[in-house]
Structure formats: structure tokens, C-alpha cells
């Protein structure tokens, strides 16, 4: 978990160097998800309860619902991204698909979004800057193009792929759940 957090913070501070270090580390992708991503998603879900201290309109039931939604939105996104990447990645990269790399890329990309969610839950004031953090997450993902060995002429499609398979789903799921609850 500590290596996961270290690499996540390095991605946030310096995306290019972060992806290089992740490449050199060569961690097991399934282990990264089970020991890094899933606990981080749990922390993101639990962080919604911090809002109880500064938002008087929230009830315990609504916080529990939001906590479940936070976990589900990222958990489901992980599998959506795995599916869409497995369908389209072969056309975008040089050489054969490295399943371990794509799983690692997806794991860290979703972890960045979960980290943003934790920050949003911990800050009591609604900053306009917070609305632009997913754009920074997209930049972090885009800087992983060399890690994923994306062909230069296919970078536009790669950007579209990760936007619609990693960035959009959690926000869409959150929106749909908020319509229901």
C-alpha cells in the first residue's frame, strides 16, 4: 500500500516521472488493485462522512448512500475501463497488448480520480478549482502514453478512450445515482 501511495503521489506531482517509476517497479497489477486501489476506494467512500461536520443539510442516511455511491462509481469504472481497453487498445499501441500494463494504467488512473474525491470531501468550501481537477487527471493519464506505448498517430483516439472509459463513467454514475436518491 505504501508503494502504491508513493507512486500515486509521484504521478500527481510529476506525471512523466511517475509513469517511468511505475514502469521500472513492474508491480503485479492484480495486487495493486487489491492492496492499493480497493482500500483507496474505501477511504474515498469513508471520506464522505467528513462532510457531516461542515454540511448541516446532510443526514446520516444520505451520507451512507453517498459513501456507497462513491465506492460503486469507481469500482464499476475499473471494470468498464478494463473492458473498453481490452476492446480498443490493440489498435493504439505498438506491439502486443500487455495486459499487466493496461491494468496498472487503469488502476493508477482511477486512483487519481479517487484521490481527487477524497480532497473534495475534505474541503468544506466549494472551490471552482476543484471542478478542474479531472482535467489534471486527464493530463496525468495522457502522460502515460509512453508507458502504454501508444502510437503517435493514435494519441487522439487514446485520449478519447481514457476520457470515455475512465473519467466520464464515475461522474455519470454519480449523476445517475443522485437522480435516484
Amino acid at each position: 500500500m505504501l508503494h502504491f501511495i508513493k507512486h500515486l503521489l509521484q504521478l500527481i506531482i510529476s506525471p512523466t516521472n511517475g509513469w517511468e517509476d511505475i514502469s521500472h517497479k513492474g508491480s503485479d497489477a492484480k495486487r495493486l488493485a487489491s492492496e492499493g486501489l480497493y482500500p483507496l476506494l474505501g477511504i474515498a467512500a469513508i471520506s464522505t462522512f467528513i462532510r457531516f461536520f461542515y454540511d448541516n443539510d446532510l443526514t446520516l442516511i444520505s451520507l451512507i448512500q453517498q459513501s456507497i455511491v462513491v465506492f460503486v462509481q469507481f469500482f464499476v469504472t475499473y471494470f468498464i475501463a478494463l473492458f473498453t481497453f481490452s476492446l480498443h487498445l490493440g489498435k493504439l499501441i505498438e506491439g502486443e497488448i500487455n495486459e499487466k500494463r493496461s491494468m496498472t494504467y487503469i488502476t493508477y488512473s482511477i486512483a487519481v480520480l479517487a484521490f481527487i474525491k477524497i480532497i473534495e470531501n475534505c474541503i468544506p468550501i466549494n472551490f471552482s478549482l476543484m471542478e478542474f481537477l479531472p482535467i489534471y487527471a486527464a493530463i496525468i493519464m495522457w502522460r502515460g502514453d509512453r508507458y502504454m506505448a501508444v502510437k503517435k498517430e493514435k494519441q487522439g483516439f487514446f485520449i478519447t478512450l481514457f476520457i470515455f472509459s475512465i473519467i466520464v463513467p464515475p461522474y455519470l454514475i454519480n449523476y445517475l445515482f443522485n437522480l435516484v436518491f
Side-chain angles (χ1 to χ4, degrees), residues 102-134:
S102 60
M103 287 177 72
T104 301
Y105 177 83
I106 292 166
T107 299
Y108 278 108
S109 298
I110 292 173
V112 168
L113 294 174
F115 190 75
I116 290 170
K117 190 64 168 178
I118 293 169
I119 293 170
E120 287 175 358
N121 286 332
C122 292
I123 296 180
I125 301 170
N126 189 10
F127 286 121
S128 296
L129 177 64
M130 297 302 286
E131 304 296 324
F132 292 102
L133 285 178

Side-chain angles (χ1 to χ4, degrees), residues 30-112:
K30 291 180 182 178
R31 191 168 181 215
L32 278 177
S34 65
E35 295 178 6
L37 179 64
Y38 299 152
L40 185 67
L41 297 183
I43 292 168
I46 291 170
S47 73
T48 59
F49 290 100
I50 293 173
R51 297 177 59 206
F52 183 75
F53 297 110
Y54 63 83
D55 191 346
N56 296 331
D57 297 333
L58 293 174
T59 64
L60 184 59
I61 298 299
S62 66
L63 285 172
I64 291 171
Q65 289 171 341
Q66 288 178 7
S67 178
I68 293 169
V69 169
V70 166
F71 186 84
V72 168
Q73 75 186 29
F74 293 118
F75 188 76
V76 169
T77 297
Y78 179 75
F79 292 101
I80 290 171
L82 285 175
F83 178 72
T84 56
F85 268 61
S86 68
L87 288 179
H88 300 288
L89 200 58
K91 300 175 246 177
L92 304 175
I93 62 171
E94 298 170 2
E96 292 183 27
I97 296 175
N98 186 335
E99 201 172 306
K100 178 181 163 185
R101 276 188 180 262
S102 60
M103 287 177 72
T104 301
Y105 177 83
I106 292 166
T107 299
Y108 278 108
S109 298
I110 292 173
V112 168

Side-chain angles (χ1 to χ4, degrees), residues 126-158:
N126 189 10
F127 286 121
S128 296
L129 177 64
M130 297 302 286
E131 304 296 324
F132 292 102
L133 285 178
I135 294 172
Y136 185 64
I139 292 169
I140 292 170
M141 291 175 213
W142 170 61
R143 298 308 301 157
D145 64 338
R146 285 193 358 219
Y147 173 77
M148 293 298 293
V150 176
K151 297 174 187 174
K152 291 284 185 201
E153 65 273 7
K154 299 290 186 174
Q155 281 196 351
F157 187 71
F158 178 68

